[in-house]
Amino acid sequence: MWAVMIYDAKYGPYAQTPEQRAGVVRQLLAACRFKKAPASVERLYARYIAGELSWTEVRALRDNSAL
């Protein structure tokens, strides 16, 4: 039986699953050559991967926090 995935525009076309969202984070870290993000940012990324936050929300929270 095929599972039907409902498209959620909140995540964009290439980040619909937790695995895809984890790939987005890996690509970001590789592109920025970060060895490790601060713990507060890691928590935001984890919430994004879990589907709790959109990337727009992660960026807003990350950019507006005092890290």
Side-chain angles (χ1 to χ4, degrees):
M1 182 174 172
W2 291 90
V4 176
M5 183 173 62
I6 298 172
Y7 179 81
D8 189 340
K10 173 179 174 177
Y11 301 110
Y14 303 109
Q16 292 293 302
T17 68
E19 293 80 15
Q20 290 171 325
R21 290 189 289 274
V24 169
V25 171
R26 279 192 305 274
Q27 288 177 352
L28 168 78
L29 295 174
C32 296
R33 298 183 181 156
F34 290 137
K35 292 186 180 187
K36 182 122 173 98
S40 59
V41 175
E42 288 284 339
R43 286 190 294 275
L44 291 176
Y45 292 162
R47 290 180 64 195
Y48 167 71
I49 292 168
E52 296 174 19
L53 298 172
S54 70
W55 189 250
T56 303
E57 293 166 324
V58 168
R59 288 186 57 205
L61 290 167
R62 182 191 64 197
D63 295 346
N64 292 322
S65 68
L67 300 176

